[in-house]
Amino acid sequence: MPKDRSELPPVEELLTAAVTGLGGVERPGQVKMAQAVGDAIESEEHLAVQAGTGTGKSLAYLVPAIRHAAESGDAVVVSTATIALQRQLVDRDLPRLADALESLLPHRPEFAILKGRRNYLCRHKMAAGMPEDEDDQLFDPREVSATGRMVQRIQDWANETETGDRDEIVPGVSDQAWRQFSVTARECLGAQRCPSGADCFAELARERAGEADVVVTNHALLAIDAMEDFAVLPEHDVVVVDEAHELVDRVTSVVTGELSESTVGLAVRRAGRLIEQGVADRLQEAGEDLRALLAVAPPGRVDTLPQSLGMTLALVRDAAFACITALGPRNKDKDDPENAGLRKAAFTALDEVHDTAQRMLDAFGPAAGGDGAGDDEDMDSAGSRDSASARDSASSGGANGGGTDARSEEVHRAEVVWLEEGRGRIPPTLRVAPLSVGGMLRDKLFGDRTVVLTSATLALGGTFDSLSRQWGLRAGEWTGLDVGSPFDHPRRGILYVATHLPQPGRDGLPEAYVDEIAELIEAAGGRTLGLFSSMRAAKAATEALRERLDVPLLCQGDDSTSQLVKQFAGDPATCLFGTLSLWQGVDVPGPSLTLVIIDRIPFPRPDDPLASARQRHVAATGGNGFMAVAATHAALLLAQGAGRLLRSMDDRGVVAVLDPRLATARYSGFLLNSLPPFWRTTDPAKVREALRRLTADA
């Protein structure tokens, strides 16, 4: 073991030791990536690396990351999009890697996982027995009883857990039950003021992270750490963003605000215990006005602010501010922890309501934020016009049909507001989100640290330009590298585009598509993952084909997704149909997956409020909105979906895209260049024959 940091072996030697220790085989792409990551850290230059499935990219970034931590004494943060990858890193990869490298480093590498505060049990909230925030009238007796059983399970588990991590509870518990035992970062009293601060699970997790060489977290917490005034992660100068293709969407979710009768009602219940009833009633009444307005409004993007909505948002904002004022100084009752906890919770809910209402008003310009003035049109006409403009934008490749004034307004608008319709107990909800998070990422994430971004899917259309723009990176500030894949795609896989089929329409799955799917599955003997653009299409295909085929057909929603994937992987004759989560979340190597069917190019819906607004904004600033937003979105998902086919060196099969536009549309080259280099054909007979041969050989 080296005595000091100056004797550290080079990255290449450490990688060889790591691969040998883990019983693997060193691959050229892995070596190339590890060298590039080490060089980027040394030169403090941002790096984007596309590394295909099977490259071994986890080791390729962990080895140089651990070396840097050992050399500098600072932690390296590794951020992932999914809990599954976090668990893989912490439970499997990092312990084995630490064993392999221990003799070559000054000390055994230490690692820790760190999640958001709400993922940890709050001892103070549990001990204080704070009042529940839920409105029991929203739940039927059966749900209340089920929640009660979950609460009891949490209480029993709380007496045994050493980490307080929610993910330890198996089976899991509902958000409603968990909220009774957890707080957000904004609701937390802080370790110094909290009576349970010395034993706080979240603080203990932060302490462990502060002593680690590698801290594994998620994109959401990474965004919070970068953008909030308070530090969440330990001091670090290097970040590795794995699954980097999801970074923009995860960051957008973090900074999206929402306003509904539920969010206002929560603030009223929390504040109503602490202030005069009359002041809380003002907010209650404003929330009822908001509920009535949203109940009759059509869902979709709100392009112009109706006067009724502007006035209601101003009422909500002002009533929330009156409650905040009535609560008095924020540090009041600092010596009374129980009351301080209630006040902090009330301030958090009220701040959220006030600030979100103000954001929504600000989205329409300074005039909207003052007296609620806006268009005299009601929300019905505004919503109808919005749907039409979204359709026009999509069909014209992102052109804004609103004229010069609308284009000028779109150039200067920074955020978009839209209404989501209610579902079940979830009421209609207004949301507000930035048109772009690139500026935030550039200033807050990339500004004072070195960032390595990696995924199997980053080079869309053959370049990194699309995603680098979304990340806010400028030319000369970063380097892009594609280290390829160990798979021989042209010999192992076929990309089949069914050009003889009609273009997909809006009236569901065409009968010709159902016939094509049936023929392909029969040739493959099952073994099919069907990726559909909507749940409606997935269910329609499942129902139609269950009557025609003798193979087992599973559909997303029949059971938990993890259980369905397990069944699918365990029986080669089985087929699994589903939508978005299956495009990126299925890893089934071996003979159970020989055919991936994609029903249509996965463009965002024309009425998707955020995508359509971003598309129109790009067009208004002189760019091609369709290519920058819709085509980029489709290319990313297509590449992810096609990537389900080859998961091990022995895999072979077919990716069948039923949408003929992949071969015929003017944008097809961009999409095809985003996919792995499979052998391509449009001949259905050749594909069916290839599938029969693969089935016979299995």
Side-chain angles (χ1 to χ4, degrees):
M1 179 179 292
K3 300 294 184 182
D4 58 54
R5 297 167 181 170
S6 63
E7 301 177 16
L8 289 176
V11 166
E12 294 81 1
E13 183 179 335
L14 292 173
L15 179 63
T16 298
V19 172
T20 301
L22 271 62
V25 177
E26 210 167 65
R27 300 191 174 107
Q30 184 183 55
V31 175
K32 189 175 181 181
M33 178 176 172
Q35 292 171 335
V37 173
D39 291 344
I41 293 173
E42 182 70 25
S43 62
E44 300 182 354
E45 181 180 44
H46 304 311
L47 173 69
V49 186
Q50 176 165 286
T53 302
T55 301
K57 63 181 170 65
S58 295
L59 278 187
Y61 65 68
L62 286 174
V63 167
I66 287 174
R67 186 187 188 282
H68 172 72
E71 184 176 47
S72 67
D74 294 326
V76 171
V77 170
V78 175
S79 177
T80 77
T82 61
I83 292 175
L85 183 53
Q86 290 177 46
R87 294 258 59 106
Q88 175 187 315
L89 290 173
V90 173
D91 295 341
R92 191 186 72 183
D93 294 351
L94 281 166
R96 297 166 66 197
L97 184 56
D99 290 341
L101 298 183
E102 182 175 6
S103 63
L104 300 174
L105 298 173
H107 64 270
R108 177 183 170 82
E110 300 290 337
F111 51 90
I113 189 169
L114 187 60
K115 306 174 184 178
R117 189 171 291 271
R118 71 178 64 199
N119 290 282
Y120 299 98
L121 178 79
C122 175
R123 291 186 185 274
H124 174 57
K125 190 168 186 176
M126 184 174 178
M130 293 183 182
E132 298 177 17
D133 290 325
E134 304 293 345
D135 185 349
D136 289 337
Q137 294 179 352
L138 294 176
F139 307 103
D140 64 38
R142 288 173 300 177
E143 290 172 332
V144 171
S145 177
T147 299
R149 290 193 293 272
M150 290 182 188
V151 166
Q152 184 60 54
R153 284 177 52 215
I154 295 172
Q155 290 173 331
D156 294 341
W157 164 79
N159 295 322
E160 304 171 357
T161 180
E162 296 181 0
T163 67
D165 187 337
R166 176 182 177 177
D167 288 337
E168 285 184 0
I169 308 175
V170 179
V173 296
S174 68
D175 289 344
Q176 181 195 353
W178 182 251
R179 276 196 296 268
Q180 299 179 37
F181 299 91
S182 65
V183 296
T184 66
R186 292 181 178 275
E187 293 168 340
C188 177
L189 287 174
Q192 300 302 316
R193 296 177 60 194
C194 179
S196 303
D199 300 316
C200 173
F201 287 121
E203 290 298 324
L204 291 173
R206 284 194 67 194
E207 288 179 14
R208 287 192 293 271
E211 298 170 354
D213 298 292
V214 177
V215 179
V216 179
T217 187
N218 55 65
H219 294 351
L221 195 63
L222 181 69
I224 292 170
D225 179 73
M227 295 174 190
E228 294 286 1
D229 294 332
F230 51 86
V232 178
L233 298 169
E235 285 291 325
H236 59 282
D237 60 355
V238 173
V239 176
V240 178
V241 181
D242 202 343
E243 300 171 311
H245 62 278
E246 293 200 45
L247 179 63
V248 168
D249 285 346
R250 299 302 174 110
V251 173
T252 299
S253 295
V254 168
V255 296
T256 296
E258 65 176 54
L259 200 59
S260 69
E261 64 173 286
S262 296
T263 57
V264 176
L266 174 63
V268 170
R269 290 193 295 277
R270 289 183 175 182
R273 307 175 184 125
L274 302 169
I275 62 176
E276 293 183 9
Q277 191 62 45
V279 181
D281 286 346
R282 279 182 56 194
L283 183 56
Q284 177 72 38
E285 292 165 2
E288 291 171 356
D289 290 345
L290 180 68
R291 178 187 62 191
L293 185 64
L294 300 186
V296 298
R301 197 177 69 227
V302 183
D303 279 340
T304 56
L305 183 66
Q307 187 176 40
S308 56
L309 179 59
M311 292 177 64
T312 302
L313 288 173
L315 284 173
V316 170
R317 175 198 63 192
D318 295 344
F321 184 74
C323 292
I324 291 170
T325 302
L327 280 172
R330 292 183 183 254
N331 61 355
K332 182 181 176 182
D333 296 323
K334 61 182 179 180
D335 297 326
D336 180 357
E338 181 174 346
N339 206 42
L342 294 174
R343 286 170 51 79
K344 188 70 179 287
F347 273 122
T348 299
L350 291 167
D351 287 341
E352 184 68 23
V353 168
H354 174 275
D355 295 350
T356 302
Q358 186 63 59
R359 272 181 72 184
M360 291 175 176
L361 290 167
D362 289 344
F364 298 97
D371 56 8
D375 245 16
D376 288 334
E377 299 171 277
D378 58 24
M379 286 195 72
D380 234 288
S381 60
S384 298
R385 188 176 62 256
D386 170 59
S387 296
S389 69
R391 288 194 298 271
D392 291 343
S393 176
S395 63
S396 63
N400 179 16
T404 303
D405 291 342
R407 192 181 342 268
S408 176
E409 179 182 342
E410 198 65 41
V411 169
H412 293 95
R413 181 168 293 177
E415 297 203 287
V416 58
V417 177
W418 72 96
L419 175 63
E420 286 187 5
E421 62 183 336
R423 300 184 309 278
R425 294 195 311 267
I426 302 174
T429 302
L430 270 178
R431 299 188 186 277
V432 57
L435 277 168
S436 169
V437 296
M440 297 182 196
L441 290 173
R442 175 181 169 78
D443 294 340
K444 304 293 187 178
L445 178 61
F446 297 106
D448 56 0
R449 55 180 64 86
T450 301
V451 181
V452 175
L453 306 112
T454 186
S455 168
T457 310
L458 292 182
L460 304 180
T463 76
F464 294 87
D465 294 346
S466 295
L467 289 180
S468 66
R469 281 193 295 268
Q470 293 185 13
W471 297 328
L473 292 175
R474 298 171 183 167
E477 297 177 335
W478 63 283
T479 299
L481 174 66
D482 183 354
V483 299
S485 167
F487 300 146
D488 187 348
H489 286 95
R491 294 177 62 86
R492 288 285 172 179
I494 297 172
L495 174 63
Y496 163 55
V497 183
T499 53
H500 64 285
L501 293 179
Q503 287 193 18
R506 298 183 179 179
D507 300 324
L509 200 66
E511 186 63 27
Y513 280 44
V514 176
D515 293 340
E516 184 78 15
I517 294 171
E519 292 174 359
L520 289 168
I521 290 177
E522 286 175 336
R527 309 171 190 274
T528 300
L529 176 66
L531 303 177
F532 293 83
S533 55
S534 70
M535 187 54 71
R536 183 178 69 168
K539 289 181 176 178
T542 303
E543 292 171 6
L545 292 170
R546 276 176 175 163
E547 300 175 358
R548 296 174 53 172
L549 300 175
D550 294 330
V551 300
L553 262 177
L554 306 175
C555 186
Q556 194 172 1
D558 292 346
D559 202 335
S560 69
T561 299
S562 60
Q563 186 61 33
L564 290 173
V565 172
K566 185 177 180 181
Q567 287 181 248
F568 172 59
D571 179 12
T574 299
C575 301
L576 173 60
F577 290 177
T579 185
L580 189 60
S581 62
L582 298 187
W583 287 71
Q584 304 184 77
V586 175
D587 184 11
V588 180
S592 290
L593 204 171
T594 301
L595 172 63
V596 175
I597 295 177
I598 296 175
D599 70 328
R600 64 191 296 164
I601 298 172
F603 292 119
R605 290 169 53 93
D607 59 355
D608 180 286
L610 195 51
S612 61
R614 286 173 169 171
Q615 183 167 315
R616 195 176 66 172
H617 178 75
V618 172
T621 53
N624 187 323
F626 173 79
M627 293 302 296
V629 180
T632 294
H633 177 275
L636 191 57
L637 273 182
L638 272 177
Q640 286 287 311
R644 300 311 95 201
L645 181 65
L646 303 183
R647 308 303 296 177
S648 73
M649 299 300 290
D650 296 327
D651 288 347
R652 296 182 296 170
V654 173
V655 174
V657 181
L658 308 185
D659 189 338
R661 294 176 296 176
L662 184 59
T664 61
R666 68 186 188 281
Y667 48 77
S668 62
F670 175 78
L671 299 180
L672 288 169
N673 287 334
S674 304
L675 296 175
F678 297 118
W679 184 78
R680 299 175 186 172
T681 184
T682 59
D683 187 336
K686 286 184 178 179
V687 168
R688 289 196 293 270
E689 179 58 31
L691 286 170
R692 291 189 189 100
R693 288 198 305 270
L694 289 173
T695 302
D697 294 342

